[in-house]
């Protein structure tokens, strides 16, 4: 399976012209975040647990495969000792946590290679955070069953041989789950702040590290946007908006198309979840009509429906159909950024009305 990794995604986009002190500092800080126990175990221990080591291996193997190497850094250490004139060489196997740490903190011998060097290492950070996000999403799904099991166990008479620890097991499970979620959110904030301090125009959101050129746009539009679409039923909105940003960052003219498609997905989800969809809709405009309909309570105003429809007819539709012998539709960089930011703002507004 081919993984969409940061260094390949941004291979044609320069983020560094050489390796700087800010890079060394950031990558050391990132290795500390990943090894501290906060990322993989929610801060319940500072040790590299079996769960953390397995996670490091999974992140390592994913990036190593895409970079075409067996190990990101040395798997074995060889040490030679001498006693009574006899030399003995012993070998030691590095853990995957150590391999990943050494990969992150190693500086290039040629500082001019900084761009590719930093991208590879940001790729590992992205994979690690994305993996942890998936683990937490799975934990969300498993949580109700764990609570039911704990409630059932609480009603059963304990065996005389079993020592029951005082306290509410159900509340402990909920608290631990919530704490792990909170710690991860704190780490995402820290990662984004440290990338900003390192002078990278990058942000991590919902499994991807992407370029964010405008600091005001990032803080006012993007930062509150991504948490809203991080969970069901907004998965397609998340995927399509990430496609829009990837296309924008690589100069692909389809960026605006994906952004407005994400908005269309949001509108469809709301229409369907409210029971307003009839199955006879032929396009985005019909789903907008469902939202503005007085019979449905006027979820949006008439003027809002007109603005939304204009985005589909004037921005999205020209890219959705073949141009024939006409000139291919394109937008300027400024128009593309405006479309993405506008789609994000609309999606935030619509979800917050639910």
């Amino acid at each position: 399976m081919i993984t969409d990794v940061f260094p390949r995604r941004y291979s044609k986009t320069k983020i560094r012209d050489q390796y700087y002190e800010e890079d060394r500092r950031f990558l050391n800080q990132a290795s500390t975040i990943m090894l501290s126990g906060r990322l993989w175990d929610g801060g319940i221990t500072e040790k590299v647990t079996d769960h953390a080591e397995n996670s490091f291996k999974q992140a390592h193997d994913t990036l190593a495969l895409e970079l075409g190497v067996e190990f990101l850094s040395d798997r074995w250490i060889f040490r030679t000792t001498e006693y009574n004139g006899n030399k003995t060489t012993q070998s030691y196997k590095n853990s995957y946590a150590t391999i990943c740490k050494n990969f992150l903190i190693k500086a290039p011998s040629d500082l001019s290679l900084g761009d590719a060097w930093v991208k590879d290492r940001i790729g590992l950070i992205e994979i690690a955070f994305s993996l942890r996000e998936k683990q937490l999403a799975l934990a969300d799904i498993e949580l109700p069953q764990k609570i039911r099991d704990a409630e059932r166990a609480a009603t059963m008479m304990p065996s005389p041989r079993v020592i029951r620890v005082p306290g509410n097991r159900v509340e402990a499970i909920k608290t631990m789950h919530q704490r792990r979620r909170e710690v991860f959110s704190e780490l995402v904030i820290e990662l984004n702040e440290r990338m900003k301090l390192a002078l990278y125009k990058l942000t991590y959101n919902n499994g991807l590290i992407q370029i964010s050129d405008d600091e005001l746009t990032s803080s006012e539009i993007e930062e509150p946007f991504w948490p809203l679409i991080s969970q069901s039923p907004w998965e397609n909105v998340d995927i399509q908006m990430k496609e829009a940003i990837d296309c924008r960052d690589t100069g692909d003219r389809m960026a605006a198309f994906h952004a407005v498609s994400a908005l269309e997905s949001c509108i469809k989800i709301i229409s369907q979840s409210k029971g307003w969809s009839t199955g006879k809709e032929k396009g985005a405009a019909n789903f907008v009509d469902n939202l503005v309909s007085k019979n449905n309570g006027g979820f949006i105003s008439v003027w809002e429906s007109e603005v939304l429809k204009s985005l589909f007819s004037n921005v999205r539709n020209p890219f959705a159909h073949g141009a024939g012998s006409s000139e291919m539709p394109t937008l300027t960089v400024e128009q593309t950024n405006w479309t993405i930011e506008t789609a994000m703002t609309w999606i935030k507004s619509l979800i917050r009305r639910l």
Side-chain angles (χ1 to χ4, degrees):
M1 179 178 178
I2 298 175
T3 303
D4 176 26
V5 292
F6 183 89
R8 182 187 299 123
R9 201 161 64 245
Y10 289 108
S11 61
K12 297 180 181 179
T13 304
K14 180 170 282 191
I15 64 172
R16 274 298 196 258
D17 54 10
Q18 71 171 59
Y19 188 86
Y20 292 102
E21 170 62 18
E22 287 83 0
D23 301 313
R24 184 203 64 78
R25 190 179 300 137
F26 166 72
L27 293 171
N28 271 270
Q29 292 163 345
S31 72
T32 299
I33 289 174
M34 292 169 62
L35 286 158
S36 67
R38 289 188 294 161
L39 180 60
W40 304 114
D41 296 288
I44 61 174
T45 177
E46 291 298 310
K47 297 179 179 180
V48 177
T49 62
D50 289 342
H51 169 66
E53 175 65 8
N54 291 334
S55 299
F56 273 117
K57 183 180 187 305
Q58 188 172 343
H60 169 278
D61 291 351
T62 299
L63 183 61
L65 177 63
E66 300 308 320
L67 295 183
V69 298
E70 186 175 5
F71 296 107
L72 297 178
S73 66
D74 291 339
R75 175 61 160 155
W76 294 91
I77 300 174
F78 298 93
R79 293 175 182 169
T80 300
T81 58
E82 185 173 345
Y83 181 73
N84 288 338
N86 297 317
K87 291 184 178 180
T88 303
T89 300
Q90 294 180 310
S91 60
Y92 303 88
K93 184 185 290 186
N94 278 328
S95 67
Y96 280 93
T98 300
I99 293 172
C100 289
K101 175 184 177 181
N102 291 342
F103 174 71
L104 287 172
I105 67 176
K106 184 179 180 180
S109 57
D110 183 350
L111 298 183
S112 68
L113 301 175
D115 188 61
W117 191 271
V118 170
K119 284 175 184 174
D120 287 350
R121 282 143 185 83
I122 289 177
L124 180 62
I125 297 166
E126 178 187 71
I127 291 170
F129 270 73
S130 177
L131 174 58
R132 183 55 178 160
E133 197 150 345
K134 291 174 183 176
Q135 291 173 351
L136 291 172
L138 179 60
D140 289 339
I141 296 172
E142 295 174 343
L143 180 61
Q145 185 60 51
K146 288 184 177 181
I147 291 174
R148 287 192 292 270
D149 291 343
E151 290 173 337
R152 189 180 302 110
T155 62
M156 298 174 62
M157 290 293 294
S159 167
R161 298 179 181 178
V162 175
I163 300 175
R164 176 167 288 181
V165 179
N168 189 317
R169 176 62 178 164
V170 172
E171 289 304 315
I173 291 173
K174 291 179 180 178
T175 299
M176 183 62 70
H177 180 80
Q178 181 62 27
R179 180 55 185 156
R180 284 173 173 154
R181 271 278 176 201
E182 290 172 351
V183 169
F184 182 73
S185 296
E186 292 166 2
L187 289 179
V188 169
I189 293 172
E190 180 179 346
L191 175 64
N192 284 332
E193 188 60 31
R194 291 198 179 281
M195 286 195 291
K196 187 185 301 182
L197 291 172
L199 305 180
Y200 301 128
K201 293 182 178 180
L202 301 170
T203 57
Y204 173 89
N205 292 297
N206 297 356
L208 289 180
I209 293 177
Q210 295 179 304
I211 291 176
S212 179
D213 286 326
D214 186 334
E215 186 172 341
L216 180 61
T217 297
S218 177
S219 62
E220 297 296 326
I221 297 178
E222 293 182 9
E223 287 181 13
F225 170 78
W226 294 109
L228 283 176
I229 62 167
S230 63
Q231 297 182 16
S232 182
W234 312 109
E235 293 92 345
N236 287 335
V237 179
D238 177 75
I239 291 170
Q240 289 170 307
M241 192 57 75
K242 287 174 181 172
E243 287 278 358
I245 292 175
D246 279 349
C247 287
R248 179 200 65 188
D249 295 344
T250 57
D252 190 319
R253 67 183 187 86
M254 297 300 289
F257 170 82
H258 289 298
V260 183
S261 294
L263 175 58
E264 180 182 6
S265 288
C266 176
I267 292 170
K268 286 182 176 180
I269 291 169
I270 292 173
S271 176
Q272 292 162 356
S273 67
K274 289 287 189 178
W276 299 334
S277 298
T278 64
K280 298 179 180 180
E281 293 85 0
K282 295 182 179 180
N286 297 138
F287 285 97
V288 173
D289 288 338
N290 293 341
L291 270 59
V292 75
S293 170
K294 290 184 178 180
N295 293 333
N296 296 331
F299 187 76
I300 60 175
S301 300
V302 173
W303 70 266
E304 290 178 304
S305 72
E306 293 171 351
V307 173
L308 286 170
K309 287 180 181 180
S310 72
L311 280 172
F312 294 114
S313 61
N314 296 322
V315 180
R316 199 279 304 274
N317 289 354
F319 290 89
H321 305 288
S325 59
S326 301
E327 185 178 350
M328 294 290 283
T330 58
L331 296 179
T332 65
V333 172
E334 292 76 18
Q335 289 169 333
T336 297
N337 284 332
W338 177 87
T339 302
I340 292 174
E341 293 163 17
T342 300
M344 283 184 171
T345 300
W346 267 113
I347 291 168
K348 283 195 305 177
S349 176
L350 293 173
I351 292 176
R352 285 171 173 171
R353 301 183 198 195
L354 291 173

